[in-house]
């Protein structure tokens, strides 16, 4: 024992030991950090780039059409004389399809989340959650086709006897809702699973049953996360394009009747962007104006969701 | 078995006088004359608990006396918390848990197939190791139980006040009933959890190391409270703290763990059950004496 020399001398004496604590440069780490930083900033740069690209032509548009006409006008007729550029019908189309979608997605999404988080055995959850999330991976064009070919003719007309147009906001909204279910279910399930088990046990130990525990303890404790999930679902509904372009129709229609066809903001962009527009023309610029409006709406919705998510950390 | 001298005092002992005593004297000012046999509110007969293949508790026989505090003590892994959680069927919530034998509440087996675990828990409440108030206001925490079990309460406000008074918390919270329970200190939160439990007027209160996350002052508050609550409730407490068992309990059950010869899994078993003063001054089993005197566990 006494003859064993210390591997590293930390004291003075004969062996001075390491004289400096200064670190050596690690070039590999610098490169990695640089690459990661680039990756982080690319997304920011792309967002800024999109905003700049949108704003330029949109400003040109607003020099020709007053902002108030655009925001509050009730007729959208950009391609035929007399042209009118009131975006309300498009905004209404977006809101109606999203509303129908949320009416479908919120009950099913939250129901699925409650089942997965509070009732399902671990084995069932292990199978069911990935399957549910698979729904989110189906291309939206498939959903749109499904709405056009099954929901409208079979479900709505044949089975339920609802008089609907060939394209209609109802079918588009229902399928939109189905597409959003996994988003709401998965995020709400995460929020509910994150509620500490001690709270459930405290409730059950007082003689509450499982449903009371779920609704009165777990659900309120997870409410910020659940609200964030719903807001994210709304923003997906607002931004969804293929389903509404296919199934909701291409006729701007300011109407509360979801059985009629409606055009949404995204639907208009998808239809018009594919056509031949002379760069700099008013109809070309409408794309950017509508795009900017859509961007603003989803931005506001996403900001609401960020605030809600931030609040979740303060709850328990 | 040598004489128990100063070395036997547990580290962290708050009891300086016990240093020269042959064993830790029960520092109990609440000792009272007890019937030799507890008049059973609850009873375990040949209780065995399994988690899957793991045999957690072996053949426990215990009687819990009415308006008494019974302490379950023993080293880690001796199954005392498992036994406690069997008493109001909280072990039902653990996947793979299985109970054999009989747990009787006023003579009725609570594991009978006709018995509803929810009804059991309405009569046998539980306070947990870590304070677990709900993310609600102080008032709503206490009102939760009466609300969910549909208790017929004349005036919920005065019911909540009564529970908070019984838990010795009223004076500290009466001006902030609508504030979040999370603003309270750990000791206050634990007393809130006790208030929450007694608001449902249970018959028996189970406490699973209720002071283990609290400082000594908060601990002494809870201990005083337990002694007060004994007048109205039957209390069963699991504790790691032998001084606490000695201070508050009327009877003490000492558990230990026996390793399986082949698997090495440790199965908990009851070693000795007697009046607390007997357990702490004149234990009949050497394992109890060794544990009490701090030479093991």
């Amino acid at each position: 024992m006494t003859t064993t020399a210390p591997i590293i001398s930390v004291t003075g004496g004969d062996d001075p030991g390491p004289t400096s604590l200064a670190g050596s440069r690690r070039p590999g780490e610098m490169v990695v950090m640089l690459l990661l930083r680039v990756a982080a900033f690319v997304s920011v740069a792309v967002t800024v780039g999109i905003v700049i690209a949108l704003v330029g032509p949109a400003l040109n548009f607003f020099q020709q059409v007053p902002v108030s006409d655009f925001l509050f006008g009730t007729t959208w007729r950009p391609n035929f004389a007399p042209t009118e550029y009131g975006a309300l019908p498009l905004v209404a189309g977006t809101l109606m399809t999203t509303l129908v979608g949320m009416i479908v997605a919120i009950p099913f999404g939250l129901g699925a989340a409650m089942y997965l988080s509070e009732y399902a055995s671990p084995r069932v959850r292990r199978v069911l959650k990935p399957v549910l999330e698979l729904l989110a991976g189906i291309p939206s064009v498939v959903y749109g086709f499904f709405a056009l070919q099954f929901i409208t003719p079979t479900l709505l007309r044949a089975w339920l006897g609802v008089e609907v147009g060939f394209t209609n906001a109802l079918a588009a909204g229902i399928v939109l809702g189905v597409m959003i279910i996994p988003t709401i279910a998965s995020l709400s399930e995460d929020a509910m699973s994150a509620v500490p088990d001690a709270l459930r046990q405290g409730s059950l130990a007082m003689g509450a049953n499982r449903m009371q525990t779920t609704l009165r303890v777990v659900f309120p404790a997870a409410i910020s996360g659940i609200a964030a999930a719903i807001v994210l679902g709304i923003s997906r509904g607002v931004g969804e394009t293929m389903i509404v372009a296919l199934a909701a129709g291409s006729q701007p229609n300011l109407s509360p009747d979801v059985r009629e066809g409606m055009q949404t903001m995204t639907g208009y962009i998808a239809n018009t962007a594919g056509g031949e527009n002379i760069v700099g023309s008013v109809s070309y610029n409408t794309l950017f104006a509508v795009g900017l409006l859509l961007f603003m709406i989803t931005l506001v919705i996403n900001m609401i969701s960020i605030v809600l998510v931030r609040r979740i950390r303060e709850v328990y | 078995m040598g004489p128990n001298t100063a070395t036997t005092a547990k580290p962290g002992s708050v009891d300086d006088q016990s240093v020269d005593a042959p064993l830790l004297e029960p520092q109990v000012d609440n000792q009272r004359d007890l019937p030799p046999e507890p008049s059973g509110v609850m009873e375990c007969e040949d209780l065995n608990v399994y988690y899957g293949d793991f045999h957690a508790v072996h053949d426990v026989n215990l009687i819990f006396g009415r308006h008494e505090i019974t302490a379950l003590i023993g080293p880690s892994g001796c199954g005392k918390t498992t036994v406690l959680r069997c008493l109001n069927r909280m072990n039902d919530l653990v996947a793979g848990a299985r109970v054999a034998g009989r747990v009787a509440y006023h003579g009725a087996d609570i594991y009978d197939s006709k018995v509803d675990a929810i009804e059991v828990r309405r009569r046998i409440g539980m306070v947990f190791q870590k304070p677990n108030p709900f993310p609600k206001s102080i008032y709503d925490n206490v009102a939760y139980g009466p609300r969910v079990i549909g208790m017929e309460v004349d005036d919920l406000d005065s019911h909540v006040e009564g529970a908070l008074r019984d838990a010795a918390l009223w004076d500290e919270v009466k001006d902030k009933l609508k504030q979040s329970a999370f603003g309270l200190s750990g000791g206050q939160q634990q007393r809130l959890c006790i208030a929450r439990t007694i608001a449902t007027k249970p018959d028996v209160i189970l406490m699973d190391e209720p002071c283990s996350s609290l400082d000594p002052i908060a601990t002494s508050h809870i201990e005083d409270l337990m002694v007060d609550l004994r007048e109205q409730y039957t209390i069963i407490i699991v504790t790691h703290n032998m001084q606490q068992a000695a201070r508050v309990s009327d009877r003490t059950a000492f558990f230990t763990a026996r390793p399986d010869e082949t698997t090495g899994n440790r199965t908990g078993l009851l070693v000795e059950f007697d009046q607390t003063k007997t357990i702490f001054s004149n234990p009949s089993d050497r394992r109890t004496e060794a544990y009490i005197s701090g030479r093991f566990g």
Side-chain angles (χ1 to χ4, degrees), chain B residues 86-100:
Chain B
C86 283
L87 299 178
N88 70 342
R89 293 189 55 173
M90 287 301 280
N91 268 345
D92 290 16
L93 307 172
V94 180
R98 190 161 57 80
V99 172

Side-chain angles (χ1 to χ4, degrees), chain A residues 32-296:
Chain A
V32 169
M33 193 197 71
L34 219 64
L35 285 174
L36 295 178
R37 185 178 287 176
V38 167
F41 278 94
V42 159
S43 58
V44 177
V46 167
T47 310
V48 171
I50 288 174
V51 173
I52 291 171
L54 278 176
V55 165
L59 283 180
N60 285 338
F61 173 80
F62 288 123
Q63 278 165 359
Q64 287 156 307
V65 178
V67 177
S68 59
D69 285 8
F70 177 70
L71 288 181
F72 304 112
T74 54
T75 306
W76 182 256
R77 190 167 52 221
N79 298 324
F80 311 103
T83 53
E84 287 190 61
Y85 299 99
L88 271 188
L90 299 183
V91 174
T94 293
L95 293 185
M96 293 310 284
T97 49
T98 304
L99 182 71
V100 173
M102 296 318 284
I103 288 172
V104 172
I106 289 175
F108 281 98
L110 293 188
M114 275 185 210
Y115 174 72
L116 285 173
S117 161
E118 305 300 313
Y119 288 88
S121 69
R123 196 186 306 162
V124 171
R125 179 171 23 209
R126 259 202 310 279
V127 175
L128 212 56
K129 204 177 176 194
V131 171
L132 192 71
E133 282 167 354
L134 216 60
L135 274 181
I138 297 174
S140 60
V141 67
V142 176
Y143 276 115
F145 196 68
F146 179 68
L148 213 55
Q149 295 297 317
F150 174 76
I151 299 289
T152 295
T154 309
L155 179 75
L156 293 177
R157 284 188 185 151
W159 292 356
L160 299 175
V162 185
E163 299 284 327
V164 289
F166 173 67
T167 56
N168 63 84
L170 186 57
I174 290 171
V175 172
L176 197 61
V178 173
M179 189 196 76
I180 295 169
I181 287 172
T183 302
I184 293 185
S186 182
L187 292 177
S188 303
E189 200 265 338
D190 290 345
M192 291 171 74
S193 297
V195 173
D197 237 9
L199 296 182
R200 287 181 192 88
Q201 298 205 0
S203 170
L204 293 169
M206 264 186 291
N209 61 35
R210 216 172 253 274
M211 188 41 96
Q212 289 168 327
T213 302
T214 303
L215 292 180
R216 292 178 179 235
V217 174
V218 179
F219 200 85
I223 193 69
S224 321
I226 290 168
I230 291 173
V231 172
L232 192 67
I234 293 174
S235 102
R236 285 202 63 184
V238 168
E240 171 50 36
T241 306
M242 270 329 280
I243 293 175
V244 290
L246 282 174
S250 51
Q251 194 57 48
N253 179 9
L254 184 59
S255 159
D257 189 348
V258 291
R259 291 173 299 181
E260 299 170 10
M262 294 178 187
Q263 190 170 42
T264 66
M265 290 187 276
T266 51
Y268 171 76
I269 294 173
N271 283 331
T272 310
E276 288 158 4
N277 293 291
I278 300 156
V279 174
S281 69
V282 180
S283 70
Y284 173 86
N285 287 340
T286 57
L287 288 172
F288 294 88
V290 173
L292 187 64
L293 181 61
L294 190 64
F295 182 83
M296 299 300 255

Side-chain angles (χ1 to χ4, degrees), chain B residues 9 19 27 36 51 60 67 98-99 101 104 109 138 155 183 198 205 216 219 239 250 260 270 277:
Chain B
V19 169
Q27 296 295 301
Y51 295 119
V60 169
H67 299 319
R98 190 161 57 80
V99 172
D109 186 356
I138 293 166
D155 176 16
I198 59 189
I205 301 176
T219 297
T239 178
D250 299 302
D260 186 288
L270 176 65
K277 56 187 174 204

Side-chain angles (χ1 to χ4, degrees), chain A residues 198-210 212-213 216-217 220-221 314-316, chain B residues 85 90 93 118 121-122 124-126 128 132-136 144-145 147-149 182 196:
Chain A
L199 296 182
R200 287 181 192 88
Q201 298 205 0
S203 170
L204 293 169
M206 264 186 291
N209 61 35
R210 216 172 253 274
Q212 289 168 327
T213 302
R216 292 178 179 235
V217 174
E314 300 170 358
V315 177
Y316 47 80
Chain B
R85 293 172 68 90
M90 287 301 280
L93 307 172
I118 288 165
R121 297 187 198 124
R122 287 181 184 183
I124 305 167
M126 188 162 193
F128 295 83
N132 58 348
F134 301 131
K136 299 176 185 290
Y144 178 82
R147 281 174 177 157
V148 295
I149 69 175
F182 289 175
R196 188 174 76 177

Side-chain angles (χ1 to χ4, degrees), chain B residues 8 10 23-24 73 242-243 252 254 279-281 283 286-296:
Chain B
T8 64
K10 281 275 281 184
L23 278 174
L24 285 177
I73 62 168
M242 281 183 291
Q243 283 80 19
T252 298
F254 171 67
I279 290 275
F280 279 84
S281 57
R286 288 173 47 179
R287 288 168 293 182
T288 315
E289 187 185 354
Y291 183 71
I292 301 284
S293 57
R295 272 179 282 117
F296 143 74

